[in-house]
Amino acid sequence: MPISRLQYLQAMDIVAWRARAGRGANAPIAPAPEIDVPVFARADAGWEALQARVRVCNACRLHAGRTQTVFGVGDPHAQWMVIGEGPGADEDQQGEPFVGKAGQLLNAMLAAIGLARGKVYIANIVKCRPPQNREPASDEVAACMGYLHAQIDLVQPRIILCVGKVAASNLLGRDEPIGRMRGTVHQFKKIPTVVTYHPAYLLRSPLEKRKAWEDLKLARRVVQQGL
C-alpha cells in the first residue's frame, strides 16, 4: 500500500489491514423501490439551467432561511457520486456541500481509496439548510428530490455512495437503521449504491470508522469489478 494512502487511513484513525472475505465481499444486490418523484427540472436541460432553477427555488419552506442554495460540487462526469443529507451552517455560508470538519473527514475517506475530492460529484438530498441542522421533513425532501434525480441523470455515475441514514432512507425508500442498510449493494436507477455512515457521525463515534472503511472498500470493489 503506498505511503500516501497509509497517511490518509491514519487521518481516519484506521489501522490498515489486508482485505478479508466477509459479508461485503459477495454482498447481495438489493433493488430500490420505485419512487414517485415530482419533476421540477429536466436533466436534459443541462447543468446551467438546472443550477439556475435551484438557485431561485421556493418550492418548500427551507428557502426562507437560506443564505444561498448548495447545489453540488465536483466532476460532472464522475464515476463516483456522494450523496448526503443537507447543508449545515458552513455549507449555507459557502454554497458548497461537505465543508468544515465533516468535509475534511469525507475528503480523507475518499483519499483513502485513491479518490481526490475533485474527481467525485457531491450533492445532498436537499439544497437548502434546515433550521438548527434538523433533519429535512418529508415534504421538503419531496420538493427537492427532482433536482437530485436530474443531477444523477446528468452525472451518470458508476456508483453512488450514500452517507448517513437520512440520505440512504430517502434515496432508497427504506426506513431501517443504517446498520441494516450498509454492507449490501443496493440499486438506484440501476446504479449500484452503497450506504455508509455520515462523516459528522463518525466524528462523534470514531469507533465506527472501521465499518465505514469496509463500506468504502465494498464500493471500490463494485466499481473495479463492474458489478
Side-chain angles (χ1 to χ4, degrees):
M1 183 180 293
I3 295 297
S4 58
R5 188 167 299 173
L6 280 172
Q7 291 172 339
Y8 288 126
L9 293 181
Q10 290 168 356
M12 291 176 63
D13 297 324
I14 291 175
V15 177
W17 63 87
R18 288 178 295 180
R20 183 177 62 184
R23 70 167 180 165
N26 296 295
I29 297 178
E34 293 295 325
I35 301 174
D36 184 18
V37 179
V39 177
F40 288 102
R42 290 167 56 90
D44 57 11
W47 283 108
E48 291 185 7
L50 180 61
Q51 189 163 8
R53 179 67 184 88
V54 169
R55 191 179 296 119
V56 298
C57 180
N58 60 0
C60 81
R61 67 183 72 87
L62 292 183
H63 82 278
R66 72 187 179 213
T67 301
Q68 58 186 315
T69 56
V70 181
F71 180 72
V73 68
D75 183 351
H77 305 292
Q79 293 188 1
W80 289 64
M81 188 166 181
V82 178
I83 298 177
E85 175 180 334
D90 291 334
E91 290 77 12
D92 178 66
Q93 290 294 322
Q94 299 184 36
E96 182 173 328
F98 284 96
V99 296
K101 292 183 178 179
Q104 292 170 10
L105 180 54
L106 176 63
N107 295 345
M109 292 166 65
L110 294 172
I113 52 173
L115 293 172
R117 179 182 174 95
K119 294 298 183 181
V120 305
Y121 192 84
I122 306 173
N124 283 316
I125 293 289
V126 296
K127 310 305 185 192
C128 298
R129 181 195 178 193
Q132 287 76 52
N133 291 345
R134 64 163 172 76
E135 293 185 5
S138 59
D139 61 321
E140 295 162 353
V141 171
C144 218
M145 189 64 85
Y147 298 135
L148 181 61
H149 277 241
Q151 288 175 301
I152 294 170
D153 290 343
L154 285 166
V155 176
Q156 297 185 359
R158 292 182 61 187
I159 192 163
I160 294 172
L161 182 68
C162 269
V163 293
K165 182 182 184 301
V166 171
S169 294
N170 283 290
L171 197 70
L172 301 175
R174 298 180 61 171
D175 186 17
E176 299 178 65
I178 193 168
R180 294 183 183 177
M181 289 188 281
R182 56 172 298 274
T184 297
V185 183
H186 306 271
Q187 290 278 341
F188 181 78
K189 289 193 166 191
K190 300 182 179 180
I191 301 169
T193 301
V194 171
V195 175
T196 192
Y197 297 104
H198 195 286
Y201 171 77
L202 294 176
L203 289 172
R204 301 190 301 270
S205 305
L207 293 180
E208 303 288 10
K209 288 181 178 179
R210 292 193 177 189
K211 294 180 182 178
W213 173 232
E214 291 298 325
D215 299 332
L216 291 170
K217 290 194 297 182
L218 171 59
R220 181 178 60 183
R221 189 159 57 248
V222 169
V223 173
Q224 291 175 341
Q225 297 178 359
L227 299 178

